[in-house]
Amino acid sequence: VQAIGSVAIHDITIQPNASLTVKGVFKVSGIITNSGVFNASEGTIEFNGSSAQSFSGSYFFNKTIKNLILTNASGLSLNAVANDTLNITGTVSFANSNVVFNTNDNLTLKSSASATANIADITNNGIYSGNNIVGNVIVEHYINTGKATGQMSKKWVFVGFPTQGQSVKESLMENGNIKSTGYGVQITGAGGTASGFDLASPSPSMKYYNESNGTWTGIAKTSDPVYDANGYMIFVRGDRSVDGKTITDPNPTNLRTKGKLILGDQVLTLPANNMFASVANPFASDVDMRNVIQSTGSDFFYVWNPLLGGNYGYG
């Protein structure tokens, strides 16, 4: 069975050998019981019950939903089942006020060469209030490194991470696991393995902008928190299998962090006039800079583009 357009139901039971594919918006106000196949990888699921609702990633084909709409203000949560993470490939949005969504550490915002999942404005331009996401979330950031057409070579990328809770080693270095192909990146620095780096290198592969002297400074150790509102420059060679001491082709990688999402207003202290600071996107969302920069005619910003050549061909 295919559900196309907008469909609203209370409870739904999918029997063994039965399948339901959602292509439009499927609204659920009750419970889901699934012994068959519930495919929402190209559709939207909205939970709009009047009493508390809970659900699991395993309810859905490949534990994946494209878009998730949160409407139930009586309580909405993912079940706290180990290794039962719900994957979002599109958008998580709110369609009501006072909706608190508890992830129970079982939500991943996926990223790929074709799309990156995001959290929509939780206020819907001020229409709603009191919305929140509690619990940890895994947020992925796909870097399309490689040698094929449309990919970029080994480059410097400027990135910010929208979660708090992990260290550089726990997140970007995948806890030091070299075999985690497809994820992470090797991080090198002057402190070498004693400071948690993969290798010692006179030039760091992860650095932050030092406002006091206007230079980029390497991180001191990989046990430092990965979250920094000012962001980082990271030299991306590929995933954890691509090191800095051998001639190895670049390959695509996903940088992922896990923790509490950054939500709501964020206040940054910028330096005095005629001085620069680096500012990262703190959200798992797009940011419209027209809503950030004051329209006085004197404010401006630069954006780092790794695809431009630069002095050394790295961005």
Side-chain angles (χ1 to χ4, degrees):
V1 176
Q2 282 196 5
I4 301 174
S6 182
V7 177
I9 57 98
H10 184 65
D11 299 335
I12 181 170
T13 299
I14 303 176
Q15 299 287 354
N17 301 317
S19 66
L20 172 63
T21 298
V22 175
K23 295 290 187 178
V25 180
F26 197 82
K27 301 181 180 182
V28 182
S29 59
I31 62 174
I32 298 172
T33 304
N34 182 18
S35 299
V37 176
F38 192 2
N39 190 338
S41 58
E42 297 182 20
T44 299
I45 302 296
E46 178 177 354
F47 288 94
N48 62 348
S50 56
S51 58
Q53 291 176 280
S54 61
F55 58 103
S56 293
S58 57
Y59 288 4
F60 304 96
F61 179 68
N62 286 337
K63 299 182 180 179
T64 298
I65 295 174
K66 183 176 183 181
N67 302 312
L68 175 64
I69 300 177
L70 308 171
T71 306
N72 189 341
S74 296
L76 192 57
S77 64
L78 283 165
N79 291 321
V81 179
N83 302 315
D84 195 9
T85 298
L86 175 67
N87 300 308
I88 302 294
T89 60
T91 300
V92 177
S93 60
F94 291 82
N96 199 1
S97 293
N98 302 314
V99 178
V100 178
F101 178 41
N102 189 342
T103 71
N104 276 312
D105 303 348
N106 265 339
L107 183 69
T108 296
L109 301 180
K110 300 293 289 182
S111 183
S112 67
S114 58
T116 295
N118 66 93
I119 306 292
D121 180 358
I122 65 175
T123 71
N124 192 13
N125 294 316
I127 296 174
Y128 306 127
S129 63
N131 295 326
N132 198 11
I133 298 175
V134 300
N136 290 330
V137 177
I138 296 173
V139 180
E140 296 185 352
H141 186 124
Y142 185 83
I143 308 292
N144 196 20
T145 324
K147 298 188 69 176
T149 301
Q151 294 182 312
M152 68 179 187
S153 60
K154 301 174 182 180
K155 298 280 189 178
W156 284 101
V157 297
F158 180 68
V159 291
F161 300 104
T163 66
Q164 287 181 300
Q166 285 188 317
S167 67
V168 170
K169 185 166 188 176
E170 289 172 323
S171 54
L172 307 185
M173 296 175 65
E174 295 285 318
N175 274 321
N177 184 5
I178 299 298
K179 296 180 180 179
S180 60
T181 55
Y183 285 96
V185 64
Q186 292 217 5
I187 304 292
T188 63
T193 56
S195 297
F197 295 102
D198 288 299
L199 294 169
S201 63
S203 298
S205 68
M206 182 173 180
K207 51 192 179 181
Y208 63 93
Y209 188 72
N210 190 333
E211 299 173 13
S212 63
N213 57 23
T215 63
W216 290 92
T217 302
I219 63 171
K221 55 190 185 300
T222 63
S223 59
D224 289 344
V226 71
Y227 176 75
D228 188 320
N230 296 109
Y232 300 99
M233 279 286 192
I234 300 176
F235 190 72
V236 178
R237 303 175 177 90
D239 66 18
R240 292 281 298 156
S241 68
V242 182
D243 62 34
K245 63 180 180 179
T246 59
I247 300 176
T248 310
D249 287 341
N251 63 5
T253 189
N254 230 315
L255 307 183
R256 56 183 173 181
T257 65
K258 181 178 182 179
K260 178 179 173 57
L261 281 176
I262 308 300
L263 299 171
D265 292 343
Q266 302 296 308
V267 179
L268 297 176
T269 301
L270 298 181
N273 291 339
N274 301 317
M275 295 182 66
F276 287 91
S278 64
V279 178
N281 180 358
F283 305 118
S285 312
D286 292 336
V287 169
D288 187 342
M289 290 302 293
R290 292 170 297 184
N291 296 330
V292 177
I293 297 296
Q294 298 177 7
S295 56
T296 62
S298 60
D299 293 329
F300 65 94
F301 61 93
Y302 291 103
V303 178
W304 177 261
N305 186 347
L307 299 180
L308 297 180
N311 291 335
Y312 302 99
Y314 292 130

